[in-house]
């Protein structure tokens, strides 16, 4: 028996929207500690990892480890029927073939429930090694979204260069080229959410496909800040932390000049 | 060609071994392609509209294969695939019987064609027979090799059957998969077989990936038993036994384990063996084929030779200049696309955990559970 109740139902909506464009279907792994998910896009360039801790829910019960295969597009459609301030309860029996979504409004005078059919999905799992990243940037999530969106106009590959004087996002295409530089800003006058912190052990320069970064920034509504982690020749990590609940983390393989 | 009825068998008994996808999913993958089969396909598929036969240049030489190979290779490279083309060497002596049969069929088709042309058969009929007379010649292989080398695509000469060498490259981890329509590649032990790579884009055929490990698991066979199964189904080297089709063959192998054991059990008067029936030699061809030594190869993708391509295609083969220029432009653009890495490059291979399927649908039907009946090759199914 699995049952989870979340007062902030809109979070679930945002989480689904943050993943559904990257992966169409995925397995939600439910255990007594919480819900986790790992899935790759069809070309295996990027990966999304979701973690929702049990203590982040208002009520959480999972007697037996369950794997719930869900089509994220369908889940997003079901969640469209959920108002932003509704309380959401997820339910599934052991060995269930459907998951129940129950939405209650704040005054508890309207209750709706939906059943979503589950799927048998072969899960593709990658063992992600612990990496000591050489550069870590924390910045407003909206700012990062804007950079990725704006730069895509010029080209499809962004070069992220972390150096002494900040982080430079640059792109060049047939039309021309562009750069955006973000500098450290931790002054007390700036709201905490708008601060930019850059921690760097050594300069890092890597190329990434903007197409995927723009899939990642679909998670922007989840969190005020986004955290980027980079090291030479390893995938980029883009993390949106949800305080008290968990995180959505994305990995993106860099573009590397071919040796062959 | 290939193993008779194997596709059907896989559909029925190992559906999760087949995976449909888009060509784009294979970007960054190196794939060994059976070139000889592709040339043959192009000779048949790439034709002038209205059944007027193959493309030719001024001198009347057929150029269908060159055009086909160029455009399909560019398309694969645009999807980010790194193709390696493997060409057939000499045919194994055991294939003699099969080759003789093919020759016979071709002769028949040729005489049929002359008859139709003289008596004025329908255009459709003529085209059908024309297609049957198509044969890939050694010169055409050489022409395609020249083209590929100019395009900067690596070419490998197999000592014997191309599929066998493709499988050897895949086994040695030099390439990700073998690209051919021929199921033989699985018998030769390629871990992954990719089908429909060289199909026309317009036909919207999904790429089908066959995973050997999942095939063996689905059929409940070891690889040695799988080879025996392929021999019983009827391969290029040995005829099948009368009255034993793929389904019976699978049942027999699952029951008895090997051809030797089966031969002791079955009623030879009811199932007379074909004469000759050198299954042991055929088995040896599959387990220990004559292949290129993967370690001796240096597979490299280079820039295309623009001048060389223009000279070869425009001057020697009379291709239209603007079409050649456009093709070269597309080819050069591919270069930048090849830089995207896959996550597996960094995090190691993916471990695929197959979804735990509920037991036999019939057993749980009473409780209103169970999955929808298997429909085609999809690896996953909506639960009821």
């Amino acid at each position: 028996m699995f049952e989870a109740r979340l007062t902030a139902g809109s979070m679930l909506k945002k989480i689904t929207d943050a993943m559904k464009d990257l992966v169409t279907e995925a397995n939600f792994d439910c255990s007594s500690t919480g819900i986790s998910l790992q899935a790759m896009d069809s070309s295996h360039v990027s990966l999304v990892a979701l973690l929702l801790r049990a203590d982040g829910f208002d009520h959480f019960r999972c007697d037996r480890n369950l794997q719930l295969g869900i089509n994220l597009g369908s889940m997003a459609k079901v969640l469209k029927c959920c108002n932003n301030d509704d309380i959401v309860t997820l339910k599934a029996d052991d060995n269930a073939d459907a998951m129940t979504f129950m939405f209650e409004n704040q005054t508890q005078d309207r209750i709706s429930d939906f059943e979503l059919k589950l799927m048998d999905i072969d899960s593709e799992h990658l063992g992600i090694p612990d990496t000591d990243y050489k550069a870590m940037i924390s910045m407003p999530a909206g700012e990062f979204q804007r950079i990725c969106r704006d730069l895509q106009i010029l080209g499809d590959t962004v070069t992220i260069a972390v150096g002494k004087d900040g982080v430079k996002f640059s792109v060049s295409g047939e039309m021309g080229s562009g750069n955006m530089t973000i500098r450290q800003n931790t002054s007390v006058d700036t709201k905490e959410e708008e601060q930019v912190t850059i921690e760097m052990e050594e300069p890092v320069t890597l190329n990434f496909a903007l197409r995927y970064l723009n899939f990642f920034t679909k998670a922007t509504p989840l969190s005020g800040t986004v955290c980027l982690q980079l090291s030479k020749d390893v995938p980029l990590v883009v993390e949106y932390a949800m305080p008290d609940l968990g995180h959505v983390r994305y990995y993106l393989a860099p573009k590397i000049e071919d040796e062959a | 060609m290939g193993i008779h009825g194997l596709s059907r068998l896989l559909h029925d008994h190992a559906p999760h071994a087949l995976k449909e996808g888009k060509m784009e999913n294979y970007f960054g993958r190196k794939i060994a392609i059976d070139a000889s089969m592709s040339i043959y396909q192009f000779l048949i598929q790439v034709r002038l509209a209205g059944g007027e036969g193959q493309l030719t240049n001024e001198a009347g030489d057929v150029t269908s294969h060159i055009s086909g190979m160029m455009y399909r290779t560019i398309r694969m490279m645009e999807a980010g695939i790194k193709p390696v083309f493997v060409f057939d060497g000499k045919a194994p002596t055991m294939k003699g019987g099969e080759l003789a049969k093919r020759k016979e069929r071709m002769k028949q088709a040729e005489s049929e064609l002359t008859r139709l042309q003289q008596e004025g058969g329908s255009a459709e009929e003529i085209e059908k027979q024309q297609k049957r007379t198509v044969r890939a010649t050694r010169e055409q292989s050489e022409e395609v090799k020249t083209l590929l080398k100019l395009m900067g695509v690596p070419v490998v000469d197999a000592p014997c059957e191309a599929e066998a060498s493709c499988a050897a490259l895949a086994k040695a981890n030099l390439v990700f998969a073998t690209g051919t329509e021929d199921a033989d590649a699985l018998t030769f032990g390629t871990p992954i077989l990719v089908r429909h790579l060289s199909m026309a884009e317009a036909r919207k055929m999904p790429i089908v990936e066959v995973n050997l490990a999942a095939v063996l698991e689905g059929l409940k066979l070891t690889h040695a038993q799988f080879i025996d199964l392929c021999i019983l189904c009827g391969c290029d080297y040995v005829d099948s036994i009368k009255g034993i089709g793929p389904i019976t063959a699978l049942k027999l192998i699952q029951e008895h384990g090997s051809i030797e054991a089966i031969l002791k059990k079955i009623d030879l008067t009811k199932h007379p063996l074909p004469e000759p029936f050198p299954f042991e030699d055929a088995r040896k061809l599959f387990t220990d084929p004559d292949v290129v030594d993967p370690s001796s190869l240096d597979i490299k993708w280079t820039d295309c030779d623009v001048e060389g391509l223009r000279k070869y295609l425009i001057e020697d083969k009379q291709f239209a200049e603007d079409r050649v220029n456009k093709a070269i432009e597309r080819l050069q653009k591919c270069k930048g696309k090849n830089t995207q890495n896959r996550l597996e490059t960094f995090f190691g291979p993916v471990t695929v955990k197959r979804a735990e399927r509920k037991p036999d649908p019939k057993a749980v039907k009473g409780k209103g559970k169970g999955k929808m009946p298997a429909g085609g090759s999809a690896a996953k199914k909506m639960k009821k």
Side-chain angles (χ1 to χ4, degrees):
Chain A
M1 174 79 181
F2 161 72
E3 201 172 63
R5 185 179 154 96
L6 194 62
T7 318
S10 60
M11 273 317 248
L12 205 61
K13 215 177 192 173
K14 291 175 189 165
I15 290 167
T16 314
D17 288 338
M19 302 188 297
K20 73 171 189 341
D21 293 328
L22 200 62
V23 284
T24 49
E25 47 204 33
N27 283 316
F28 285 76
D29 294 306
C30 307
S31 70
S32 55
T33 56
I35 302 174
S36 64
L37 174 154
Q38 198 205 72
M40 273 185 280
D41 71 287
S42 59
S43 51
H44 293 196
V45 171
S46 63
L47 179 146
V48 55
L50 165 76
L51 176 72
L52 301 172
R53 284 188 297 271
D55 52 19
F57 290 87
D58 304 296
H59 164 73
F60 192 93
R61 178 182 158 195
C62 185
D63 307 336
R64 222 184 106 219
N65 288 1
L66 277 185
Q67 198 174 54
L68 305 172
I70 287 182
N71 180 307
L72 293 173
S74 312
M75 181 163 162
K77 279 179 194 154
V78 167
L79 287 167
K80 276 228 170 77
C81 309
C82 165
N83 282 333
N84 275 342
D85 45 4
D86 278 1
I87 302 161
V88 176
T89 311
L90 307 175
K91 264 189 278 188
D93 288 328
D94 294 347
N95 258 322
D97 40 35
M99 174 149 95
T100 309
F101 292 75
M102 191 164 83
F103 309 137
E104 300 163 73
N105 67 351
Q106 294 286 352
T107 48
Q108 307 228 324
D109 49 15
R110 185 177 48 79
I111 300 172
S112 30
D113 64 277
F114 293 86
E115 247 187 30
L116 187 65
K117 281 178 190 166
L118 296 178
M119 312 174 80
D120 287 329
I121 301 169
D122 295 344
S123 59
E124 297 175 315
H125 195 88
L126 273 186
I128 300 168
D130 281 330
T131 310
D132 187 15
Y133 290 94
K134 298 294 179 203
M136 197 172 114
I137 306 135
S138 173
M139 64 192 285
E143 184 70 27
F144 180 61
Q145 183 181 38
R146 203 175 63 89
I147 292 173
C148 294
R149 196 177 47 215
D150 290 354
L151 290 181
Q152 200 175 28
I153 297 166
L154 280 164
D156 51 14
T157 305
V158 62
T159 304
I160 304 182
V162 191
K164 276 203 299 291
D165 46 350
V167 190
K168 191 165 90 174
F169 297 86
S170 38
V171 64
S172 74
E174 282 171 20
M175 200 163 84
S177 63
N179 295 300
M180 290 193 184
T181 308
I182 304 290
R183 291 218 170 83
Q184 171 124 336
N185 176 2
T186 50
S187 79
V188 280
D189 303 334
T190 321
K191 272 189 275 172
E192 203 177 314
E193 279 206 340
E194 283 164 23
Q195 289 185 349
V196 177
T197 53
I198 300 169
E199 286 167 38
M200 181 195 82
E201 275 177 50
E202 56 186 61
V204 183
T205 302
L206 283 172
N207 296 327
F208 298 100
L210 276 167
R211 195 168 93 88
Y212 292 95
L213 291 177
N214 277 305
F215 283 135
F216 299 175
T217 56
K218 296 273 195 293
T220 306
L222 283 175
S223 176
T225 54
V226 61
C227 176
L228 312 180
Q229 297 182 84
L230 302 99
S231 263
K232 190 173 180 288
D233 293 345
V234 299
L236 159 82
V237 186
V238 179
E239 181 176 324
Y240 294 86
M242 297 174 276
D244 306 325
L245 185 58
H247 62 243
V248 178
R249 211 178 264 169
Y250 299 94
Y251 294 82
L252 175 60
K255 289 187 162 191
I256 293 175
E257 282 307 319
D258 241 2
E259 69 297 341
Chain B
M1 183 99 15
I3 311 293
H4 298 291
L6 190 64
S7 307
R8 272 294 297 280
L9 209 57
L10 295 185
H11 259 285
D12 294 346
H13 294 273
H16 58 259
L18 308 170
K19 204 165 77 181
E20 288 185 1
K22 282 185 298 197
M23 193 182 271
E24 281 65 29
N25 294 355
Y26 294 92
F27 90 88
R29 298 285 201 203
K30 298 170 183 172
I31 296 183
I33 293 166
D34 176 357
S36 310
M37 146 113 20
S38 309
I39 295 175
Y40 181 72
Q41 281 178 323
F42 296 140
L43 285 174
I44 291 182
Q45 288 174 0
V46 184
R47 307 186 143 247
L48 291 171
E52 285 175 47
Q54 294 155 317
L55 307 180
T56 50
N57 63 4
E58 278 170 9
D61 295 330
V62 175
T63 52
S64 283
H65 55 295
I66 301 181
S67 169
M69 193 55 113
M70 179 168 72
Y71 286 110
R72 299 295 155 75
T73 308
I74 290 178
R75 178 157 149 60
M76 274 184 235
M77 289 172 74
E78 277 178 335
I81 295 174
K82 295 172 156 186
V84 186
F85 284 91
V86 182
F87 287 82
D88 266 334
K90 62 176 193 321
T93 35
M94 282 195 64
K95 212 173 175 175
E98 170 73 17
L99 291 180
K101 256 194 253 165
R102 283 187 204 167
K103 217 170 202 169
E104 191 56 40
R105 273 197 298 253
M106 194 173 321
K107 260 199 196 135
Q108 252 175 26
E110 260 165 24
S111 57
E112 181 72 14
L113 182 64
T114 12
R115 188 184 66 82
L116 282 172
Q117 276 166 340
Q118 278 165 0
E119 296 172 14
S122 73
E124 254 172 64
E125 278 289 304
I126 290 184
E127 193 183 333
K128 197 167 140 199
Q129 295 303 334
Q130 262 178 348
K131 282 186 180 173
R132 285 196 185 155
T133 59
V134 166
R135 149 176 55 183
T137 63
R138 196 131 289 269
E139 293 79 62
Q140 287 167 336
S141 287
E142 288 305 322
E143 285 168 352
V144 169
K145 267 185 225 174
T146 316
L147 171 80
L148 290 171
K149 280 178 191 155
L150 288 170
M151 287 172 73
V153 176
V155 167
V156 172
D157 286 304
C160 200
E161 295 255 56
E163 305 100 272
S165 287
C166 288
L169 291 179
K171 272 196 275 189
N173 247 336
L174 278 177
V175 296
F176 169 75
T178 300
T180 175
E181 306 308 309
D182 203 334
D184 273 4
L186 287 172
T187 327
F188 283 118
T190 183
I192 290 171
L193 167 70
V194 180
R195 278 188 163 161
H196 305 331
L197 264 183
S198 54
M199 288 282 170
E201 200 178 354
R203 284 175 65 188
K204 298 250 184 298
M205 282 281 249
I207 308 276
V208 177
E209 178 183 319
V210 189
N211 184 316
L212 180 62
V215 166
L216 298 181
E217 198 193 304
L219 300 179
K220 300 187 199 70
L221 298 178
T222 62
H223 191 241
Q225 289 171 335
F226 179 67
I227 293 177
D228 278 7
L229 170 69
C230 293
I231 295 172
L232 282 181
C233 287
C235 58
D236 289 347
Y237 312 125
V238 187
D239 287 332
S240 56
I241 303 174
K242 199 166 176 293
I244 296 185
I247 297 169
T248 323
L250 175 63
K251 225 167 64 196
L252 288 171
I253 292 273
Q254 280 173 342
E255 222 168 284
H256 305 296
S258 71
I259 295 186
E260 283 87 347
I262 292 171
L263 290 185
K264 276 187 208 136
K265 294 279 173 197
I266 57 170
D267 184 353
L268 289 177
T269 50
K270 235 196 268 167
H271 302 290
L273 297 184
E275 205 41 64
F277 189 60
F279 69 90
E280 277 162 325
D281 296 331
R283 189 188 286 161
K284 196 161 171 301
L285 266 179
F286 281 123
T287 50
D288 189 21
D290 190 5
V291 295
V292 285
D293 174 14
S295 60
S296 70
L297 293 173
D298 184 25
I299 297 174
K300 271 208 171 101
W301 288 264
T302 52
D303 287 328
C304 64
D305 176 355
V306 178
E307 278 316 303
L309 270 177
R310 288 174 57 99
K311 184 175 175 307
Y312 183 66
L313 292 173
I314 301 172
E315 286 174 30
D316 298 1
K317 298 290 167 197
Q318 282 103 43
F319 275 55
E321 190 169 347
D322 56 331
R323 289 183 56 147
V324 172
N325 286 343
K326 251 184 220 149
I328 291 176
E329 210 173 285
R330 281 171 69 190
L331 195 59
Q332 285 173 323
K333 263 198 188 149
C334 297
K335 196 69 192 162
K337 279 199 112 169
N338 285 342
T339 54
Q340 175 69 61
N341 282 58
R342 303 176 76 97
L343 278 175
E344 288 102 319
T345 327
F346 306 97
F347 293 157
V350 182
T351 41
V352 178
K353 215 173 79 203
R354 194 150 311 123
E356 287 170 38
R357 295 208 160 70
K358 305 287 180 306
D360 189 25
K362 277 177 215 139
V364 284
K365 216 177 188 173
K367 286 183 257 167
K369 286 188 179 175
K371 290 169 294 177
M372 294 201 290
S377 62
K380 64 228 159 201
K381 270 153 219 111
M382 193 74 82
K383 291 176 191 174
K384 239 185 187 166

